[in-house]
Amino acid sequence: MNAPVITPSKAASGALLRRLSDIVGSRFLLTGERETRRFRTGFRFGSGDALAVVQPGSLVELWRVAKACAEAGVIVIMQAANTGITGGSTPDGNDYDRDIVIVSTTRLHGIQLIRGGAQVICMPGSRLFELEEIVAAVGREPHSRIGSSCIGASIVGGICNNSGGALIHRGPAYTEMALYARITGDGAIELINHLGVDLGYDPEAMLALLDAGSLDDARIVDDPSRVCSDHSYQDHVRQVDADTPARFNNDPRHLHEAAGSGGHVVVFAVRLDTFPLEDGVTDFYIGSNDPAELTAIRRTILSDFASLPVQGEYIHRSAFRLTERYGKDTFLAIRYLGAKTLPKLFALKGRVDAFFGRISWAPRDISEKVMQAAVAWLPNHLPERMRDFDRRYEHHLILRMAGEGVEDARKLLKSVFPTGSGDFFECTKDEGEKAFLHRFAVAGASIRYRALHREIVDDFVALDVALRRNDDDWDEKLPPELADRITGVSYCGHFFCHVFHRDYFLRKGENPVAFEHDMLVYLDTRGAEYPAEHNVGHLYPAKPPLQKHYRDLDPTNSLNPGIGRTSKLANWQ
């Protein structure tokens, strides 16, 4: 195989910009510092310069943009919803050897039901909440829901990052059927059709068929050698005595072409399974001051129950209280306006921050302060029984069961509780909905807290950790040399697969990079893997299997270079 031949260059940018403008129109080619800022800045982490932001309006335009960028030898960073927490869809600093073009896919919506709704084909900008609405109309559910850390997340972004996994029956976002482009070792771009759809052979004609939005059933081709979800995950997660985590980003089991690609290919469409709606769903709310009680429940359900939980979400008192106060607007917006309003609100927030960011005397984090003040006077939004459990118990587990599992869980919990350290209650429909929504608002609450308390908190480090399936010591107690460097934490997670999201608020003067490094060393001693489901981004090192996946897909290192702390330079120098 010949060595890659991309030659780094920051010249001839004017010619490329003219070509991109011809493709998408001047309205959708952004070059100013202010108008590109929200695309160049990560949801939680990461920022840097970019030559331009391009917003193609069709798959044909996306192909032409990718081709123009490949021929110009620039870096391309594919970006969907920009809701990631590790900075993996934005530049990271300004130490790249080529100009960067960010390609935003937010205009590329489209979801088509196939095989009677048993599967879907999703375009690059489609969101999870859109998928939920579409498949619900035919009595089905998607592979994931609104997102535990990034409400409004994109479907394709989830596949590229192996995200999700909150739904225990389905595992992380995964497919082996996708239509994607890659930049080859000689700098050319090629379109690869493993979507299971007969589209012909000419790239623009193929993509125009998908742009049209209605595929003839005769074009759909099943490939028994490829799957559109992880069919083995239920058996995998049940292995409670296994000395390895259930799922994590560096796991070779879930690295296949677009899946786990981390932006090293240009994805035009993915094909995914959908799932039957769960019947007779009941939610249980469990509280305890003894982690061993929750451990015993987890092991019993995974080992002995015929029917696994639909979901099992953990929330620590730290996250409960932080989110009750600082996640209230997110909770209320989704509750009363719907998840589909979140992207528009985030976009508005980005424009407000960009505007005031140009004014030297304007307060920092003004949008966060305004939104917090706007909801502060509203009455408490959480059910009284949840608030009572917060007062009484440090650890909370929200358990959603369906079908026969409901009665099995009811019997188990009644046989265990009440104890001197724990109890449970069976939720009403309203309580269950609010409990899960409160859990899903946790991530944004940390951002809000940092914005409003910069006098005591310089920053926070967000870690996404997969513990071993047999690790009963999941209740983190940091050693003093780490605990003394933080002012507080926020912990939540997907309890049954032992994936935990942990935010650490650093004391003034603490270096986030140094603290994160020391935390990762500590986690290595625990046999943990990281990240669990949010892509390595620019925070975590990519381990050898993931690095190989990136290199095989992108031999010139032209697409999203630098993620996983790999080289940002052409040809992986």
Side-chain angles (χ1 to χ4, degrees), residues 67-213:
K67 189 174 181 181
C69 290
E71 291 173 356
V74 299
I75 289 169
V76 174
I77 296 180
M78 297 299 301
Q79 184 182 99
N82 193 16
T83 54
I85 68 170
T86 60
S89 57
T90 60
D92 179 51
N94 296 314
D95 54 342
Y96 297 85
D97 62 346
R98 294 151 287 169
D99 282 323
I100 294 173
V101 173
I102 298 173
V103 180
S104 170
T105 63
T106 52
R107 297 176 63 209
L108 301 178
H109 292 274
I111 298 171
Q112 181 172 340
L113 299 171
I114 61 172
R115 295 295 184 241
Q119 291 184 326
V120 289
I121 292 176
C122 303
M123 301 301 109
S126 303
R127 310 288 185 101
L128 277 173
F129 61 78
E130 296 169 332
L131 181 57
E132 283 191 73
E133 291 181 354
I134 288 171
V135 299
V138 293
R140 308 284 292 184
E141 287 190 318
H143 63 284
S144 189
R145 295 205 176 109
I146 56 176
S148 64
S149 299
C150 41
I151 296 167
S154 73
I155 298 164
V156 167
I159 294 296
C160 293
N161 296 335
N162 291 144
S163 300
L167 300 177
I168 302 168
H169 293 181
R170 303 165 201 181
Y174 181 72
T175 187
E176 297 172 359
M177 303 190 81
L179 178 68
Y180 65 95
R182 64 186 293 269
I183 295 177
T184 62
D186 60 0
I189 188 166
E190 62 177 354
L191 187 65
I192 297 173
N193 182 11
H194 290 159
L195 192 61
V197 180
D198 182 6
L199 297 170
Y201 300 97
D202 176 72
E204 292 204 4
M206 295 166 67
L207 296 170
L209 280 171
L210 284 179
D211 278 329

Side-chain angles (χ1 to χ4, degrees), residues 293-368:
E293 291 183 334
L294 300 189
T295 296
I297 290 169
R298 172 182 175 270
R299 292 185 67 89
T300 298
I301 290 177
L302 290 178
S303 300
D304 301 340
F305 277 28
S307 178
L308 290 179
V310 178
Q311 288 177 267
E313 292 298 305
Y314 169 77
I315 183 167
H316 185 265
R317 177 182 279 155
S318 59
F320 187 103
R321 293 182 176 179
L322 193 78
T323 308
E324 182 179 24
R325 182 170 181 182
Y326 298 103
K328 192 176 191 177
D329 56 323
T330 300
F331 179 103
L332 295 174
I334 300 173
R335 174 80 171 171
Y336 296 107
L337 300 178
K340 61 185 177 183
T341 65
L342 265 293
K344 294 179 180 178
L345 293 177
F346 284 138
L348 176 60
K349 176 183 178 298
R351 286 192 288 270
V352 170
D353 288 339
F355 175 79
F356 282 100
R358 293 181 298 146
I359 303 173
S360 60
W361 50 263
R364 189 177 181 183
D365 304 309
I366 190 167
S367 65
E368 300 284 0

Side-chain angles (χ1 to χ4, degrees), residues 315-556:
I315 183 167
H316 185 265
R317 177 182 279 155
S318 59
F320 187 103
R321 293 182 176 179
L322 193 78
T323 308
E324 182 179 24
R325 182 170 181 182
Y326 298 103
K328 192 176 191 177
D329 56 323
T330 300
F331 179 103
L332 295 174
I334 300 173
R335 174 80 171 171
Y336 296 107
L337 300 178
K340 61 185 177 183
T341 65
L342 265 293
K344 294 179 180 178
L345 293 177
F346 284 138
L348 176 60
K349 176 183 178 298
R351 286 192 288 270
V352 170
D353 288 339
F355 175 79
F356 282 100
R358 293 181 298 146
I359 303 173
S360 60
W361 50 263
R364 189 177 181 183
D365 304 309
I366 190 167
S367 65
E368 300 284 0
K369 293 173 181 176
V370 168
M371 287 189 288
Q372 184 66 23
V375 297
W377 58 272
L378 295 175
N380 195 287
H381 55 293
L382 297 180
E384 176 54 33
R385 287 204 288 183
M386 284 176 58
R387 296 168 65 196
D388 176 58
F389 267 42
D390 167 53
R391 291 187 287 266
R392 295 163 57 193
Y393 304 120
E394 180 180 3
H395 307 285
H396 299 217
L397 176 61
I398 315 163
L399 182 63
R400 174 163 289 176
M401 303 296 299
E404 297 176 358
V406 172
E407 187 56 32
D408 290 340
R410 187 177 287 130
K411 290 179 180 177
L412 172 64
L413 296 177
K414 285 183 176 179
S415 71
V416 171
F417 297 114
T419 66
S421 55
D423 205 350
F424 86 101
F425 63 85
E426 191 169 323
C427 299
T428 65
K429 184 175 185 297
D430 182 67
E431 287 174 328
E433 291 174 353
K434 288 182 176 179
F436 277 99
L437 187 49
H438 184 60
R439 159 66 185 88
F440 288 138
V442 168
S446 292
I447 299 173
R448 175 70 50 78
Y449 177 80
R450 175 184 60 184
L452 270 59
H453 296 281
R454 292 191 184 273
E455 74 282 0
I456 59 172
V457 176
D458 262 345
D459 207 343
F460 70 93
V461 169
L463 295 184
D464 174 26
V465 181
L467 299 183
R468 292 172 289 117
R469 282 168 283 176
N470 66 351
D471 190 348
D472 294 340
D473 188 21
W474 53 266
D475 180 27
E476 184 173 74
K477 304 298 183 187
L478 291 176
E481 60 269 21
L482 291 170
D484 290 345
R485 297 158 67 181
I486 61 176
T487 64
V489 297
S490 175
Y491 292 160
C492 64
H494 312 301
F495 190 65
F496 284 81
C497 54
H498 262 196
V499 166
F500 294 89
H501 305 303
R502 294 168 170 171
D503 292 348
Y504 305 88
F505 299 99
L506 303 181
R507 295 186 184 278
K508 296 289 285 185
E510 286 291 340
N511 185 320
V513 175
F515 179 82
E516 181 205 354
H517 173 269
D518 292 344
M519 277 298 308
L520 297 185
V521 171
Y522 168 69
L523 290 172
D524 287 339
T525 68
R526 296 287 313 276
E529 290 282 356
Y530 45 81
E533 59 182 8
H534 289 151
N535 185 263
V536 288
H538 292 286
L539 287 180
Y540 301 93
K543 294 184 179 179
L546 190 57
Q547 287 196 37
K548 181 179 186 302
H549 189 50
Y550 291 163
R551 285 174 174 262
D552 290 346
L553 291 172
D554 183 16
T556 65

